[in-house]
Short mmCIF file of all heavy atoms in Angstrom, two decimals:
data_model
loop_
_atom_site.label_atom_id
_atom_site.label_comp_id
_atom_site.label_asym_id
_atom_site.label_seq_id
_atom_site.Cartn_x
_atom_site.Cartn_y
_atom_site.Cartn_z
N VAL A 113 -29.29 -4.97 4.95
CA VAL A 113 -28.30 -5.98 5.34
C VAL A 113 -26.86 -5.61 5.00
O VAL A 113 -25.96 -6.42 5.19
CB VAL A 113 -28.64 -7.35 4.70
CG1 VAL A 113 -29.98 -7.86 5.20
CG2 VAL A 113 -28.62 -7.27 3.18
N SER A 114 -26.64 -4.39 4.49
CA SER A 114 -25.27 -4.05 4.10
C SER A 114 -24.96 -2.58 4.36
O SER A 114 -25.84 -1.73 4.37
CB SER A 114 -25.02 -4.38 2.63
OG SER A 114 -25.85 -3.59 1.80
N ALA A 115 -23.67 -2.32 4.57
CA ALA A 115 -23.19 -0.96 4.80
C ALA A 115 -21.77 -0.83 4.27
O ALA A 115 -21.01 -1.81 4.27
CB ALA A 115 -23.23 -0.62 6.29
N LEU A 116 -21.43 0.36 3.85
CA LEU A 116 -20.07 0.67 3.45
C LEU A 116 -19.37 1.33 4.63
O LEU A 116 -19.96 2.16 5.31
CB LEU A 116 -20.06 1.61 2.24
CG LEU A 116 -18.68 1.92 1.71
CD1 LEU A 116 -18.58 1.50 0.26
CD2 LEU A 116 -18.39 3.39 1.85
N VAL A 117 -18.12 0.95 4.88
CA VAL A 117 -17.35 1.45 6.01
C VAL A 117 -16.07 2.10 5.50
O VAL A 117 -15.41 1.57 4.60
CB VAL A 117 -17.01 0.32 7.00
CG1 VAL A 117 -16.21 0.85 8.18
CG2 VAL A 117 -18.29 -0.37 7.49
N VAL A 118 -15.73 3.25 6.10
CA VAL A 118 -14.51 3.97 5.74
C VAL A 118 -13.72 4.20 7.04
O VAL A 118 -14.28 4.66 8.03
CB VAL A 118 -14.82 5.32 5.08
CG1 VAL A 118 -13.55 6.02 4.63
CG2 VAL A 118 -15.79 5.15 3.90
N GLU A 119 -12.41 3.88 7.02
CA GLU A 119 -11.57 4.05 8.20
C GLU A 119 -10.17 4.48 7.77
O GLU A 119 -9.78 4.27 6.63
CB GLU A 119 -11.50 2.76 9.01
CG GLU A 119 -10.80 1.63 8.28
CD GLU A 119 -10.90 0.29 8.99
OE1 GLU A 119 -12.00 -0.07 9.46
OE2 GLU A 119 -9.87 -0.40 9.04
N LEU A 120 -9.42 5.04 8.72
CA LEU A 120 -8.05 5.47 8.47
C LEU A 120 -7.10 4.54 9.19
O LEU A 120 -7.23 4.32 10.40
CB LEU A 120 -7.84 6.90 8.96
CG LEU A 120 -6.41 7.44 8.92
CD1 LEU A 120 -5.85 7.43 7.49
CD2 LEU A 120 -6.36 8.83 9.52
N ARG A 121 -6.12 4.00 8.47
CA ARG A 121 -5.11 3.13 9.06
C ARG A 121 -3.73 3.78 8.92
O ARG A 121 -3.42 4.37 7.89
CB ARG A 121 -5.09 1.79 8.33
CG ARG A 121 -6.41 1.05 8.35
CD ARG A 121 -6.81 0.58 9.73
NE ARG A 121 -6.11 -0.58 10.14
CZ ARG A 121 -6.50 -1.82 9.87
NH1 ARG A 121 -7.62 -2.05 9.21
NH2 ARG A 121 -5.78 -2.84 10.28
N VAL A 122 -2.94 3.67 9.97
CA VAL A 122 -1.55 4.12 9.95
C VAL A 122 -0.68 3.00 10.51
O VAL A 122 -1.16 2.19 11.29
CB VAL A 122 -1.34 5.44 10.75
CG1 VAL A 122 -2.15 6.58 10.14
CG2 VAL A 122 -1.69 5.26 12.21
N PRO A 123 0.58 2.95 10.11
CA PRO A 123 1.44 1.87 10.60
C PRO A 123 1.67 1.94 12.11
O PRO A 123 1.79 3.03 12.67
CB PRO A 123 2.76 2.10 9.87
CG PRO A 123 2.50 3.11 8.82
CD PRO A 123 1.26 3.83 9.18
N THR A 124 1.69 0.78 12.75
CA THR A 124 2.03 0.65 14.16
C THR A 124 2.88 -0.62 14.30
O THR A 124 3.11 -1.33 13.31
CB THR A 124 0.79 0.50 15.06
OG1 THR A 124 0.17 -0.75 14.78
CG2 THR A 124 -0.19 1.64 14.85
N LYS A 125 3.27 -0.94 15.51
CA LYS A 125 4.05 -2.16 15.69
C LYS A 125 3.22 -3.42 15.44
O LYS A 125 3.77 -4.50 15.28
CB LYS A 125 4.67 -2.20 17.08
CG LYS A 125 3.70 -2.22 18.23
CD LYS A 125 4.44 -2.19 19.55
CE LYS A 125 3.47 -2.12 20.71
NZ LYS A 125 4.17 -2.08 21.98
N PHE A 126 1.88 -3.29 15.39
CA PHE A 126 1.02 -4.43 15.11
C PHE A 126 0.36 -4.35 13.74
O PHE A 126 -0.28 -5.30 13.31
CB PHE A 126 -0.08 -4.55 16.17
CG PHE A 126 0.45 -4.74 17.55
CD1 PHE A 126 0.33 -3.75 18.49
CD2 PHE A 126 1.08 -5.92 17.90
CE1 PHE A 126 0.83 -3.91 19.77
CE2 PHE A 126 1.59 -6.10 19.18
CZ PHE A 126 1.46 -5.09 20.12
N ASP A 127 0.47 -3.23 13.07
CA ASP A 127 -0.20 -3.01 11.78
C ASP A 127 0.85 -2.49 10.81
O ASP A 127 1.24 -1.33 10.87
CB ASP A 127 -1.34 -2.00 11.95
CG ASP A 127 -2.35 -2.07 10.84
OD1 ASP A 127 -2.03 -2.59 9.75
OD2 ASP A 127 -3.48 -1.59 11.05
N PHE A 128 1.32 -3.34 9.92
CA PHE A 128 2.43 -3.01 9.04
C PHE A 128 2.00 -2.37 7.72
O PHE A 128 2.80 -2.23 6.81
CB PHE A 128 3.26 -4.27 8.75
CG PHE A 128 3.77 -4.94 9.99
CD1 PHE A 128 3.56 -6.29 10.18
CD2 PHE A 128 4.44 -4.23 10.96
CE1 PHE A 128 4.02 -6.92 11.33
CE2 PHE A 128 4.91 -4.85 12.11
CZ PHE A 128 4.70 -6.20 12.29
N ASN A 129 0.74 -2.00 7.61
CA ASN A 129 0.23 -1.41 6.37
C ASN A 129 0.62 0.05 6.25
O ASN A 129 0.91 0.72 7.23
CB ASN A 129 -1.30 -1.56 6.33
CG ASN A 129 -1.71 -3.02 6.28
OD1 ASN A 129 -1.30 -3.74 5.40
ND2 ASN A 129 -2.48 -3.46 7.25
N LYS A 130 0.59 0.55 5.04
CA LYS A 130 0.88 1.95 4.74
C LYS A 130 -0.27 2.84 5.20
O LYS A 130 -1.42 2.39 5.26
CB LYS A 130 1.09 2.10 3.23
CG LYS A 130 1.47 3.47 2.78
CD LYS A 130 1.65 3.52 1.28
CE LYS A 130 1.98 4.94 0.87
NZ LYS A 130 2.01 5.10 -0.57
N GLU A 131 0.02 4.12 5.49
CA GLU A 131 -1.05 5.07 5.85
C GLU A 131 -2.07 5.10 4.72
O GLU A 131 -1.74 5.41 3.58
CB GLU A 131 -0.45 6.46 6.04
CG GLU A 131 0.53 6.52 7.18
CD GLU A 131 1.33 7.81 7.20
OE1 GLU A 131 1.42 8.49 6.16
OE2 GLU A 131 1.87 8.12 8.26
N SER A 132 -3.31 4.75 5.05
CA SER A 132 -4.33 4.59 4.02
C SER A 132 -5.73 4.76 4.59
O SER A 132 -5.98 4.42 5.74
CB SER A 132 -4.25 3.18 3.41
OG SER A 132 -2.97 2.90 2.92
N VAL A 133 -6.62 5.24 3.75
CA VAL A 133 -8.04 5.21 4.04
C VAL A 133 -8.57 3.94 3.37
O VAL A 133 -8.42 3.76 2.16
CB VAL A 133 -8.76 6.47 3.49
CG1 VAL A 133 -10.27 6.32 3.63
CG2 VAL A 133 -8.26 7.71 4.21
N VAL A 134 -9.16 3.08 4.17
CA VAL A 134 -9.62 1.78 3.69
C VAL A 134 -11.15 1.81 3.59
O VAL A 134 -11.83 2.26 4.52
CB VAL A 134 -9.17 0.65 4.64
CG1 VAL A 134 -9.62 -0.71 4.13
CG2 VAL A 134 -7.65 0.68 4.79
N VAL A 135 -11.66 1.34 2.46
CA VAL A 135 -13.10 1.36 2.18
C VAL A 135 -13.55 -0.08 1.91
O VAL A 135 -12.97 -0.76 1.06
CB VAL A 135 -13.42 2.26 0.97
CG1 VAL A 135 -14.92 2.28 0.70
CG2 VAL A 135 -12.86 3.67 1.16
#
Side-chain angles (χ1 to χ4, degrees):
V113 297
S114 64
L116 183 121
V117 180
V118 184
E119 65 188 45
L120 173 61
R121 302 293 282 273
V122 298
T124 68
K125 63 183 176 181
F126 300 111
D127 199 340
F128 303 128
N129 296 303
K130 183 180 177 187
E131 297 168 340
S132 305
V133 172
V134 181
V135 181

